[in-house]
Amino acid sequence: MASASQRAGQVAAPLAAGRASVPMRRQQRREAQRSRRHLHIASAAAVDAPAAAPKLSEIEMWNGNKRLQTVVADVAPNTITIRSLDWDRDRFDIEFALQEGTTYNSYLIFGEEKTALVDASHEKFRGLYMRTLNAELAARGRKIDYVFVSHTEPDHSGLVKDVVEQFPEAVVVGSKVCLAFLSNLIHTPFKSQQVKGGDKIDLGGGHVMEFVMAPNLHWPDTMFSYDHATNVMYTCDAFGMHYCTEDPFDSELAPLEPHYRFYYDCLMLPNAKSVTTALRKVKDLPFEIIANGHGPLLRYNVPEMVGRYERWSKAIAGAPASVAVLYASDYGFSDRLSQTLAHGITKAGVATEMADILSVDPQELVEMLGRNSGIVIMAPPSDSGEARAAVATLLSAVKPNKQKIVVAESYGGRDEPLDSLVSGLVAAGVEPLMDLRVKDEPSEALYQLFEEAGTDLAQALTAKEAIAKKKAAMCPDVAKALARVSGGLYIVTAAHNDAKSAMVASWVAQASFEPLGLTIAVAKDRAIESLMQVGDKFVLNCLGEGEYNATIKHFLQRFPPGADRFEGVNYRLADCGSPILNDSIAHMECKVVSRMETADHWVTYAEVSDGQVSQPDKRTAVHRRKVANYY
């Protein structure tokens, strides 16, 4: 059974056609970015330009075909970043698709008296990163005195052990939970210093580091570090994005925006309450640069990007319901599966609170359970005393017949049996809405099942409110008038590896001639939404007049999480891997180019790459509604 740290070094199977990296295209983009970056920096009078051009290492190959590289750049006086460029990573674990690779950002702060390393890197960069780190230290005649660990997720802490082995006098600084996790990761004694919010460490020369506890962004041990000399705030996963480029900064905002939002939706939105808490804690710190853990650092657009986190998080705070999601950090697949399930919940407009069942305070757990109408519990390790105590607290605090609960396996090898969890809940007066079993190492299809389960839970919590909201959305006369805007009947089909989905699409329109493009409105809580991100490919199937009832009826039915939507449906596969329905009169293969957000839908713009009319004598069926406030 793979541990969380072992899994972090694995690369999942390649993506479906259309997601593979294109080295030549990326090389051209890198050259253009380099040119534009120099122009931007030259004109940015309000912000001091970096003192030296970034230093790139030679490219090394990993696992045969993945390019790894480091780049060193100045961030602020006496401060540099070592960014590990993972050019060709196409999945962040199997459920998180990447179009532009990712980076793992590390930082060195050279105080007059002490040198601090903020975070390390992924273990796949071991040789490359350690050589770069030692070269930068040697050039300044320095050694590492402190290692500030923002959190212990292996992509940031995978080389902390290597650092402390080389610098045994270095003091590892982190939260209480962080140091406990590290002891299990390093397995050898190391010097450590536990810090709390407001604690400070003086590196000399004005570099006074202040620590801010920011748990659940997105691990329970996360902390921010703020340098009073440079106004740089180190935030690790928060305010990051999976976007690999030589440019260390956000010199151009437009290319970053969809990646920044997708990253927020997948990792931070389920922790929106923790986001608002962290923002409140740092509001009086005059930070000017955000040194994050993934992607470009925020230097030129800090107020805008922080403002987006605040707006997005406050929006979900007004949700009609919320769900407590209890997981076991660094155990099996509990963290990733719970995050995916939480993403499915938030897609449907329901808020979530994430808590590590191995470290949550009992009183905090009781309060959390009291204010949430739904509960998700990932099976914790059966041999954990902390987990047993938390489960006992859970069983004593649940509200009989008033809360909807989902229990799920974590596939960690020592899971508390689901049957015993279900029995305990039933004895406490709560019948679980569903229990999710994991029989094999999670695949993309399993992650899809968990996301759909989260959406189903959210919809079950808000069913009455959703119906009332639709009825109140517009007056009857407007609803009838708007319903006269009609269009064809289509089925959208999409697939990635072993995950596939489909939906009935009524809101389809041609949007451009050259290139040939169209728009499709996709509800945020649709299962297929996760398979229609920028860069994804899908098929638009046109239904024929008078022959669509059986097909529409099939795809309009409510499928349970993980169900095969194509069971009993005749189809063949397009070149992009998505199904072409044999009953369609025509189809088009499309690629998502951009998305625009509305209140409850994503308006997806896609370019058409191929298509065929299979029944030229048939006309497209027209969808006519009586009212416009529901399908």
Side-chain angles (χ1 to χ4, degrees):
M1 202 72 64
S3 69
S5 57
Q6 289 170 330
R7 294 196 321 274
Q10 299 172 350
V11 172
L15 291 169
R19 284 183 175 248
S21 63
V22 185
M24 181 59 68
R25 177 173 57 83
R26 283 185 171 171
Q27 180 65 31
Q28 293 169 344
R29 186 177 63 247
R30 287 162 59 189
E31 294 296 332
Q33 288 169 338
R34 185 184 296 117
S35 174
R36 291 192 295 266
R37 180 176 72 247
H38 292 161
L39 289 173
H40 186 103
I41 290 174
S43 63
V47 182
D48 291 336
K55 294 183 291 186
L56 281 162
S57 73
E58 296 295 322
I59 290 177
E60 292 189 359
M61 303 305 294
W62 182 77
N63 206 31
N65 62 348
K66 306 293 183 183
R67 295 170 297 153
L68 307 182
Q69 195 173 23
T70 60
V71 59
V72 178
D74 291 330
V75 176
N78 307 312
T79 307
I80 65 171
T81 178
I82 302 175
R83 302 174 67 239
S84 300
L85 309 179
D86 200 347
W87 289 108
D88 302 313
R89 186 163 185 176
D90 50 20
R91 305 297 280 185
F92 202 84
D93 285 317
I94 197 169
E95 85 287 7
F96 198 153
L98 309 182
Q99 277 77 49
E100 302 292 345
T102 193
T103 74
Y104 318 97
N105 302 337
S106 176
Y107 303 92
L108 280 169
I109 306 168
F110 301 103
E112 283 188 1
E113 300 167 11
K114 303 289 184 179
T115 301
L117 175 70
V118 182
D119 297 321
S121 186
H122 196 294
E123 63 183 1
K124 71 169 75 169
F125 281 85
R126 176 169 284 115
L128 189 54
Y129 176 84
M130 293 303 293
R131 288 196 300 273
T132 304
L133 174 66
N134 284 313
E136 295 303 319
L137 292 170
R140 296 164 177 81
R142 295 289 191 119
K143 62 180 179 63
I144 293 177
D145 301 291
Y146 291 102
V147 181
F148 300 151
V149 180
S150 300
H151 83 180
T152 51
E153 195 173 13
D155 55 319
H156 302 289
S157 65
L159 297 180
V160 169
K161 180 178 181 180
D162 299 72
V163 172
V164 297
E165 284 179 348
Q166 182 173 341
F167 301 97
E169 297 304 310
V171 178
V172 178
V173 177
S175 65
K176 179 181 179 181
V177 177
C178 165
L179 296 178
F181 286 169
L182 277 178
S183 64
N184 295 326
L185 180 68
I186 296 179
H187 300 300
T188 56
F190 59 91
K191 293 186 176 182
S192 64
Q193 179 177 339
Q194 177 186 328
V195 291
K196 302 184 295 296
D199 287 354
K200 298 177 180 178
I201 290 178
D202 191 348
L203 303 179
H207 292 278
V208 176
M209 306 300 298
E210 182 174 345
F211 303 99
V212 178
M213 297 300 108
N216 297 319
L217 296 184
H218 65 110
W219 269 33
D221 59 349
T222 300
M223 74 175 186
F224 295 171
S225 308
Y226 174 74
D227 187 348
H228 282 268
T230 58
N231 295 334
V232 177
M233 185 166 68
Y234 302 87
T235 62
C236 203
D237 278 350
F239 308 107
M241 69 200 81
H242 292 306
Y243 189 85
C244 189
T245 172
E246 292 175 14
D247 188 349
F249 302 109
D250 55 333
S251 303
E252 290 187 274
L253 182 57
L256 308 181
E257 290 177 307
H259 303 278
Y260 188 74
R261 178 60 189 267
F262 183 51
Y263 184 96
Y264 173 88
D265 283 348
C266 290
L267 293 181
M268 296 297 156
L269 183 57
N271 300 283
K273 188 169 184 178
S274 297
V275 171
T276 56
T277 299
L279 290 176
R280 186 170 62 251
K281 289 180 179 179
V282 302
K283 68 180 178 65
D284 294 326
L285 296 176
F287 54 88
E288 297 174 357
I289 296 175
I290 290 181
N292 50 30
H294 294 289
L297 288 66
L298 303 184
R299 180 187 186 97
Y300 303 108
N301 303 281
V302 172
E304 170 64 24
M305 299 304 247
V306 172
R308 294 186 189 192
Y309 259 48
E310 186 171 19
R311 291 195 303 275
W312 295 335
S313 299
K314 285 183 176 179
I316 196 68
S322 62
V323 176
V325 180
L326 309 177
Y327 67 101
S329 58
D330 206 23
Y331 171 68
F333 292 83
S334 184
D335 54 336
R336 295 299 181 198
L337 289 171
S338 65
Q339 199 79 25
T340 304
L341 212 155
H343 180 50
I345 294 170
T346 55
K347 277 176 57 174
V350 170
T352 57
E353 283 190 81
M354 308 284 291
D356 176 18
I357 200 170
L358 302 181
S359 61
V360 65
D361 178 80
Q363 184 58 39
E364 290 180 3
L365 179 58
V366 170
E367 293 173 0
M368 179 184 295
L369 296 173
R371 62 177 173 259
N372 284 277
S373 54
I375 300 170
V376 171
I377 177 169
M378 302 294 301
S382 58
D383 54 359
S384 167
E386 293 85 355
R388 285 195 295 272
V391 170
T393 300
L394 166 69
L395 295 177
S396 66
V398 294
K399 303 173 184 176
N401 304 317
K402 292 184 177 180
Q403 290 174 309
K404 297 188 183 298
I405 297 183
V406 171
V407 293
E409 290 180 319
S410 299
Y411 202 68
R414 310 186 312 278
D415 286 16
E416 180 71 23
L418 281 201
D419 291 337
S420 67
L421 288 173
V422 170
S423 297
L425 289 166
V426 171
V430 181
E431 181 79 33
L433 184 67
M434 65 186 88
D435 56 272
L436 306 175
R437 313 276 172 159
V438 183
K439 302 304 181 185
D440 300 293
E441 186 168 307
S443 63
E444 193 168 349
L446 184 82
Y447 281 110
Q448 182 186 14
L449 182 154
F450 269 66
E451 184 174 301
E452 292 175 6
T455 299
D456 274 18
L457 170 60
Q459 291 173 341
L461 291 171
T462 60
K464 291 182 180 178
E465 292 86 350
I467 294 173
K469 185 177 180 180
K470 287 180 179 179
K471 289 182 177 179
M474 60 186 78
C475 72
D477 287 341
V478 173
K480 293 175 182 177
L482 188 57
R484 296 304 188 268
V485 178
S486 61
L489 274 176
Y490 310 91
I491 305 292
V492 178
T493 58
H496 294 160
N497 298 328
D498 59 351
K500 57 183 183 290
S501 190
M503 74 167 191
V504 177
S506 298
W507 301 347
V508 177
Q510 185 172 342
S512 62
F513 286 117
E514 183 57 42
L516 183 60
L518 51 81
T519 60
I520 302 175
V522 182
K524 290 180 177 178
D525 60 356
R526 291 293 183 92
I528 201 172
E529 185 270 341
S530 295
L531 304 181
M532 294 185 67
Q533 302 295 322
V534 173
D536 289 346
K537 296 186 177 182
F538 65 91
V539 169
L540 182 68
N541 297 270
C542 304
L543 301 184
E545 197 173 58
E547 300 178 352
Y548 58 81
N549 285 338
T551 303
I552 287 290
K553 184 177 180 180
H554 174 83
F555 286 107
L556 283 179
Q557 67 179 300
R558 189 174 184 84
F559 292 92
D564 182 3
R565 285 167 164 74
F566 296 91
E567 184 176 358
V569 176
N570 294 320
Y571 67 89
R572 62 192 186 279
L573 295 181
D575 290 340
C576 65
S578 298
I580 299 172
L581 304 183
N582 290 347
D583 288 339
S584 65
I585 64 171
H587 74 274
M588 286 156 278
E589 296 184 47
C590 309
K591 179 179 179 180
V592 178
V593 174
S594 63
R595 307 199 313 164
M596 182 183 75
E597 185 177 14
T598 69
D600 49 16
H601 283 69
W602 286 100
V603 178
T604 300
Y605 171 72
E607 292 180 0
V608 179
S609 59
D610 199 3
Q612 185 178 8
V613 176
S614 54
Q615 300 184 52
D617 295 333
K618 299 291 179 64
R619 295 192 300 179
T620 302
V622 177
H623 185 201
R624 295 184 177 88
R625 295 179 291 169
K626 293 183 178 179
V627 292
N629 53 6
Y630 64 89
Y631 289 111

